Structures are given as structure tokens and as C-alpha cells.
Amino acid sequence: YQAVFAAGAERWGHSPDNEVLYNTLKLWVEENNLQGKSIIEYACGEGASGAILSELGCIYHGVDISPSAIEKCKKSLAERGCNPTFYNNFDEFILHDMDAVVLANYATEHAPFAIKCLEMGKHVISEVMPVQTLKEAVELVEAVEKSGKIYAYAENYCYMPAPTEMR
């Protein structure tokens, strides 16, 4: 993350101005009546999703392992009049009172985190590849069915600069 900025990048990942990201999150929020609900994004980065979710009427909070990403996210959201809570580890954030979780974490940890969220009664939207093995896929499907909660898949790679430029 720091190396990307040291090399001159202005941002990491997608922008809160991305129309496709906005429309995807808007549909998810509207279809699941999430306005006014508390949503935490794991791997919040610089806050693109947070800015959009806040604009859509959600109560947004973020988690990231990068202190510099959290600072950028805080600044971005403060400029929009938001003052969310931030965490830097999963075990603390999962205890936060929330209705839904946006998971944008590493693929290697995604399925276990999604299952834990579902088991704790939280809706989940995944921004990354949700599973690495068929076993994880079965476990995730079973957790969704058992929880009765909403699980949505919203891979975000299509919002990154390279695929956007190729369009």
C-alpha cells in the first residue's frame, strides 16, 4: 500500500465517484432496506464504498489493517460530514453492533470471516472472490442457509483503473 503511494499513485482502488460501484451498492441497499442500518466494511481502504454507503443513508464504519488507509478513509468521510468508528482487526470489529458487513479482505481469509459474520446474524456482501475451494463453498452456502441472512457477491475488480480503461 505504502509502496503504491511512494511510486506516485493518488489513490488505491476505486473512487467514490465510480458510477458502477455506486449503482451496485445502491441496488444492494435499496433491495435489502439497509438505509439507516449500521454497516461495517472490512478492508475499507480509502473509503470509496463508505462514502457511497453514507450518501445512501447507511451508518458506515470501517476496518483496515493499514493505519494510513484508515487515516485516508477518515479524512475522506469527514469531508462528507461523516464520523465513523474504525477498527484495525477483525476480532474487535465483529463485536460492533451492526446489521451488515461489506467484506473486501484477502481471499485467503474471506470464507471464514463471511461464515463468522453470518453465524453472528449479520448480512454480508463480498467484494472479493468468496472461496478458494469447493469445501469452503459448501461451508459458505450452508452458513447462508442456516443464518437466513442475505449474502451477496459483488466482485469489485471491474472498478479498478485497468479494467475501466479497457472499456
Side-chain angles (χ1 to χ4, degrees), residues 31-158:
E31 286 184 352
N32 298 294
N33 299 312
L34 296 175
Q35 296 91 349
K37 303 287 184 177
S38 183
I39 298 176
I40 293 189
E41 180 179 22
Y42 188 82
C44 63
E46 297 173 21
S49 295
I52 294 168
L53 290 167
S54 296
E55 182 180 322
L56 295 172
C58 300
I59 302 164
Y60 178 82
H61 305 282
V63 183
D64 206 289
I65 60 172
S66 169
S68 56
I70 288 175
E71 287 308 311
K72 286 179 180 284
C73 189
K74 279 182 184 179
K75 182 180 177 191
S76 172
L77 293 175
E79 290 170 357
R80 291 173 165 78
C82 303
N83 187 24
T85 304
F86 287 91
Y87 300 93
N88 65 4
N89 74 62
F90 183 83
D91 292 328
E92 287 180 22
F93 115 85
I94 195 65
L95 299 176
H96 188 98
D97 183 27
M98 66 183 122
D99 301 292
V101 178
V102 177
L103 287 178
N105 54 329
Y106 297 114
T108 55
E109 58 189 20
H110 184 80
F113 286 18
I115 291 167
K116 189 168 186 176
C117 292
L118 291 162
E119 288 173 344
M120 293 184 76
K122 295 151 185 12
H123 303 292
V124 176
I125 185 168
S126 298
E127 281 194 6
V128 297
M129 181 178 72
V131 298
Q132 298 182 93
T133 65
L134 185 55
K135 179 181 182 294
E136 283 185 347
V138 169
E139 290 170 349
L140 182 57
V141 169
E142 288 175 347
V144 171
E145 291 173 350
K146 184 177 178 184
S147 72
K149 294 298 175 181
I150 298 164
Y151 178 87
Y153 179 53
E155 169 59 57
N156 74 359
Y157 183 74
C158 56

Side-chain angles (χ1 to χ4, degrees), residues 8-23:
E10 292 183 25
R11 72 174 302 106
W12 174 269
H14 45 272
S15 162
D17 301 324
N18 184 290
E19 187 177 334
V20 176
L21 177 60
Y22 180 88
N23 290 334

